[in-house]
Amino acid sequence: MPKILILGKGFFGERVQETLGGVIAGRRIRKFSDMQSLLQTYKPRIVINCIGHTGANVDGCEKDKDKTLLANSFVPIMAAEACIRKKIKFVHLSSGCIYHYDYRRNIPLPETKTPDFLGLFYSRSKIYSERALEALSAQYNVLIARPRVPLDCRPHPKNLLTKLIRYRTIIDLPNSVTYVPDFVRALKHLIQKDARGIFNIVNKGALRYPELMGLYNKYVPDSRYQVIPFGTLRLTRTNLLLSTRKLERTGFVVRHINDILEECVRGYVTGV
C-alpha cells in the first residue's frame, strides 16, 4: 500500500494499521494548521481519518457536545480540506447510525438515501461531516466508509459482543452490523480501487442480538441475559438495515452475518 497516515489511535485506527500498514499520528488536531503540520511531517499519499467521539456510548455525546462536534464534524472537514490542497486521497470513517428506519416499510437503505436521524447529537455530528465530504467527493479524491455497530473477534470496550456480555438486558431487533476483520479488508479493497464517495461497509443480512448471545452461551454456559422489548429502554437509538449492493458492485465479496458468527465468538472466547 502507498504511504498511509492514520488519524486516531482508537478501536478502528489500530485495526486499520494492522492490515494496511502506515503510521498513526499521535498529535491532536484542533485547528487547520495542526493538520497541515501533520501532512508536512509525514508526507502521506493517503490519509485515513479514524478520529471520532462516542463516549462510553452515544449518550456521552449529549454531555460533551463541544468535544463531539470537534471530533466528529470539524476535524474531518479540516483534514479533508488539507488533503485536497495537497492532492492527497482522504478516507473518512463515518457511521451508519444516521437514519430513521421503519421495519414495516423500509428495505436495506442505500447510500443515496439522505441521512435524517437528528435525534442524537452523535448522529447529527456525523451527518454534518458526511454531507460535506460527500459533496467534495464529487470532484475530489474523498472516500467515505460507513461501518455500523462494530462486532469483533477480540475483546474491546467498543466491540458489540463485549457490550452485550456486560448487559443484563438486550433487545431483539434485526440490525446491520460490521464485522471488523471484514471491514478492514473492504477498506483495503476500496482504497486499491481508488473508490470515491460513500460506501456502506456492513455484513449482509441482519443480526438479532439474542442470536449472538445464544452462540456465546455455547462457549460460556453461565452467561445470563434477558430479552426485552426495545420500547422499554426509553432511549433514543437508531436500529436499521443498510444495503451492501454498492460495495458488492466493486467486486468485494460481502459475507453474510450468519457466516461469521461462529468464527467471531470462537475467536473472542479462545483467542484463536
Side-chain angles (χ1 to χ4, degrees), residues 248-262:
E248 291 176 287
R249 286 198 296 268
T250 69
F252 186 78
V253 177
V254 180
R255 293 197 289 174
H256 197 283
I257 189 63
N258 292 342
D259 295 335
I260 63 90
L261 292 184
E262 183 77 35

Side-chain angles (χ1 to χ4, degrees), residues 3 15 19 35 42 66 90 98 119 132 144 162 208:
K3 190 172 182 180
R15 295 302 294 274
T19 300
M35 189 64 212
Y42 293 103
D66 289 348
F90 182 69
I98 52 177
I144 302 114
T162 300
R208 290 180 177 268

Side-chain angles (χ1 to χ4, degrees), residues 1 8 29 43 55 59 62 67 69 72 85 87 97 126 136 144 167 178 194 207 236 257:
M1 298 292 290
I29 302 169
K43 296 179 173 56
D59 293 326
E62 310 293 332
K67 184 176 182 179
L69 201 61
N72 296 352
R85 295 185 189 186
K87 295 182 172 55
C97 298
K126 284 291 189 178
L136 289 170
I144 302 114
Y167 293 158
T178 295
D194 199 27
L207 175 66
T236 303
I257 189 63

Side-chain angles (χ1 to χ4, degrees), residues 145-157:
R146 279 185 185 159
R148 185 176 186 279
V149 188
L151 172 66
D152 199 8
C153 54
R154 305 178 190 176
H156 190 282

Side-chain angles (χ1 to χ4, degrees), residues 21 54 60 64 124 146 164 193 215-216:
T54 60
D64 196 341
R124 199 152 80 234
R146 279 185 185 159
L164 292 179
K193 290 280 186 180
L215 185 56
Y216 179 75

